Amino acid sequence: TFVDFGDDQWTQGRAHPMIDPTLRLEHLRQAAADPDTGVLLLDVVLGHGAEPDPAALLAPALADVAPPVVVCVVGTAQDPQDRDRQVAALVAVGAEVHLSNAAATRRAIELAGGTR
């Protein structure tokens, strides 16, 4: 299952998940609890207009997740959220973090039993 929470169906009448991650966090809990979930692939986008500290909200939700979690952090060390701090917080709860969407996707496919 792939869900783009930035799609119009999810953003009608509410803030984009880069600003308000409520829907994404709810879905994450449901997906993590589903025994059919093989891997969780997430992106965290940094920069102006994004959540001030996305890892502060995401890391606790990932701390006790059973399926492997692969995260792509999109941003730079100069972003207001400080990419390196975000990466460290996600790694600390067991997420595998990549700085490339392509690398994160390949790794998630590998963990799900696909081929590289």
Side-chain angles (χ1 to χ4, degrees):
T1 301
F2 294 92
V3 180
D4 176 4
F5 287 102
D7 186 87
D8 288 347
Q9 79 178 63
W10 301 103
T11 57
Q12 293 290 327
R14 64 180 316 130
H16 190 281
M18 285 176 47
I19 299 165
D20 177 7
T22 305
L23 281 178
R24 185 166 98 152
L25 290 171
E26 288 173 12
H27 186 79
L28 171 66
R29 283 188 268 289
Q30 292 171 0
D34 184 342
D36 291 332
T37 298
V39 64
L40 294 164
L41 173 63
L42 310 166
D43 65 349
V44 172
V45 180
L46 308 179
H48 297 288
E51 165 67 36
D53 190 2
L57 298 172
L58 187 56
L62 299 177
D64 296 320
V65 167
V69 177
V70 179
V71 180
C72 176
V73 175
V74 180
T76 71
Q78 289 75 39
D79 281 319
Q81 298 86 351
D82 184 352
R83 182 195 63 210
D84 296 340
R85 186 171 53 82
Q86 298 299 311
V87 168
L90 296 168
V91 167
V93 296
E96 184 176 318
V97 178
H98 297 265
L99 302 180
S100 154
N101 283 324
T105 301
R106 283 192 296 272
R107 179 62 175 147
I109 290 169
E110 181 182 355
L111 289 168
T115 59
R116 277 187 108 179

